[in-house]
Amino acid sequence: MAFELPKLKYAYDALEPNIDARTMEIHHSKHHNGYTTKLNDAIAGTDLEGKTIENILANVDMENKAVRNNGGGFYNHSLFWEVMNPEDKGQLSR
């Protein structure tokens, strides 16, 4: 199972004025998408294919820079989208 770019639960402009729509769009459609594609390429045909991102990162070979860097970028961006709070509840989303 390949990793997929997650769909956002809110619009790119939902965090304005704190984070502008263009920044959100770039981080989602370019940065996170790039990490996703490169992570999938790095694990294709290896024993890492089909594992969760948490399992991959918990056991990453530090010499495997493609998996380490792209896996970390994929995970960090995924976490970012989940914890941001466009409803201004005064706390991070859970």
Side-chain angles (χ1 to χ4, degrees):
M1 173 179 92
F3 290 100
E4 294 181 7
L5 181 68
K7 292 185 182 0
L8 297 185
K9 297 177 184 176
Y10 45 85
Y12 288 141
D13 65 355
L15 300 174
E16 288 185 342
N18 299 305
I19 303 175
D20 65 275
R22 184 70 179 134
T23 298
M24 293 292 287
E25 180 181 4
I26 289 169
H27 274 272
H28 185 253
S29 67
K30 294 190 188 281
H31 295 305
H32 198 173
N33 191 41
Y35 286 128
T36 304
T37 300
K38 290 175 185 174
L39 173 60
N40 285 325
D41 290 346
I43 64 171
T46 73
D47 63 339
L48 300 175
E49 238 177 345
K51 293 189 177 181
T52 66
I53 190 62
E54 293 84 2
N55 186 272
I56 290 171
L57 293 176
N59 299 292
V60 69
D61 175 359
M62 295 306 284
E63 299 299 316
N64 190 335
K65 292 180 182 178
V67 172
R68 185 187 70 204
N69 293 344
N70 292 298
F74 174 83
Y75 185 80
N76 288 337
H77 277 82
S78 296
L79 180 61
F80 176 81
W81 308 128
E82 288 296 316
V83 300
M84 296 312 291
N85 180 2
E87 284 99 34
D88 192 22
K89 296 177 187 171
Q91 63 187 15
L92 295 176
S93 297
R94 297 182 205 272

